[in-house]
Amino acid sequence: MNGGPIEFYFDFSSPYGYLGAQRIDAIGAEFGRVVLWRPVLLGVIFKITGQSPLVSQTLRGPYAARDMARSARKLGVPFALPEGFPFSSVYACRIFYLLDGRSPEEAKKYARAVYHSAFAENRIVAEPEDAIALAATLGHDPSTIRAGMQEPAVKERLREETQQAMHKGVFGSPFVIVDGEPFWGNDRLGEVREWLQTGGW
Amino acid sequence: MNGGPIEFYFDFSSPYGYLGAQRIDAIGAEFGRVVLWRPVLLGVIFKITGQSPLVSQTLRGPYAARDMARSARKLGVPFALPEGFPFSSVYACRIFYLLDGRSPEEAKKYARAVYHSAFAENRIVAEPEDAIALAATLGHDPSTIRAGMQEPAVKERLREETQQAMHKGVFGSPFVIVDGEPFWGNDRLGEVREWLQTGGW
């Protein structure tokens, strides 16, 4: 490894987070960097910043919907805003951190599955049982997951990561921090790559 | 000319508009497209969309200030947020459209001078006399400009362009429309170029 980890902050209900998740690990691998995936509850941060979800905003909303689809076409990945969007991702987040405590790779697999379900298969992962059932498709025991996601330490980890994110200046999704340098937005991943390649400017 | 004009919407008080203005004409020239510069009053549009200026927003503000400086360094252009920022650009806009009625090239020269004064020389162009004096440095007669910028047709043109922009979905600066396709942000100019090159995706 050539340097510290890349921090990849995202919200499971974020279309641009879904798009960013398609590329961030390849960028990390190219430069020998570990990528730490960190789902957070953007709704909690929005309460502090006074923002509202992008797609519900006048003028910005229709543009965002068009741009999301266009950005997905460019990447060649399936994309549609699912019914029930935006959705609460607290249970998916808890399962992520439950898995992350044992294996970051298993947690990433779960995160990719949540994103794929929501934005490629029109099935949001909002209810506890939906979040558990998705984990089961990856081979995790449902009752172990159901019990684990109620652990105070898991709930606390999610709260802590969301607070940490805010303290680091995270206000949107995806939000990447590399060597202390913050980059907001899927459309900045090219710059993240250049930053890693050049050491910054 | 290979196609219709590129519409380049911006606000004179927009740092990202200043950065976009450094590159948009070269992109137009590369693909044989006329670039129509269209300054608008983003404050009028923000009243409809409920947005506030970026730099005054929690978390987003500090990030934006950092990103503006970083983006300017990447382009190799001088940049600093001027005292008095954000500033009212109504008089600069009126002079722009006064000049544009006679010569779009003269209007562009004036627009570049407004941006350079504000973001490279720490002199905002907010007061009528500042806006007139800047036009004078480009060889325009101050009393002709002073009289012209009061013409109802000039004021009406600015109102009309701002309304038109809104109807086309413009909600930020810079905002580029090419063959009906909208692109928001200085960081999307690379995509504008690709769109022109490939015909879209």
Side-chain angles (χ1 to χ4, degrees), chain A residues 9 45 160-170 177, chain B residues 59:
Chain A
Y9 285 100
I45 297 178
E160 183 56 35
E161 291 289 354
T162 299
Q163 289 300 317
Q164 278 255 350
M166 218 177 335
H167 288 142
K168 289 179 182 178
V170 173
I177 302 175
Chain B
L59 295 185

Side-chain angles (χ1 to χ4, degrees), chain A residues 51 57-60 63 66-67 70 73-74 170-171 181-184 187-188 191 194 201, chain B residues 49 51 57 59-60 63 66-67 70 73-74 170-171 181-184 187-188 191 194 201:
Chain A
Q51 288 291 305
Q57 296 175 25
T58 310
L59 295 185
R60 298 166 74 98
Y63 174 81
R66 180 179 190 143
D67 182 61
R70 180 173 68 190
R73 286 199 306 275
K74 198 175 180 202
V170 173
F171 57 82
E181 193 69 23
F183 295 89
W184 168 46
D187 50 8
R188 293 303 184 95
E191 260 190 4
E194 287 178 70
W201 53 84
Chain B
T49 59
Q51 288 291 306
Q57 294 175 24
L59 295 185
R60 298 166 76 97
Y63 174 82
R66 179 179 190 142
D67 182 61
R70 180 173 68 190
R73 286 199 306 274
K74 197 175 182 203
V170 173
F171 57 82
E181 194 69 23
F183 295 89
W184 167 47
D187 50 7
R188 293 302 184 95
E191 260 190 4
E194 286 178 71
W201 52 86

Side-chain angles (χ1 to χ4, degrees), chain B residues 166-190:
Chain B
M166 218 176 334
H167 289 142
K168 290 178 181 176
V170 173
F171 57 82
S173 167
F175 198 103
V176 175
I177 303 176
V178 48
D179 300 336
E181 194 69 23
F183 295 89
W184 167 47
N186 171 60
D187 50 7
R188 293 302 184 95
L189 288 192

Side-chain angles (χ1 to χ4, degrees), chain A residues 8 16-25 37 112 115 186 189:
Chain A
F8 177 64
Y16 288 119
Y18 161 72
L19 296 177
Q22 314 290 325
R23 292 198 287 157
I24 192 65
D25 279 340
W37 287 40
R112 288 192 200 98
Y115 266 148
N186 172 59
L189 288 192

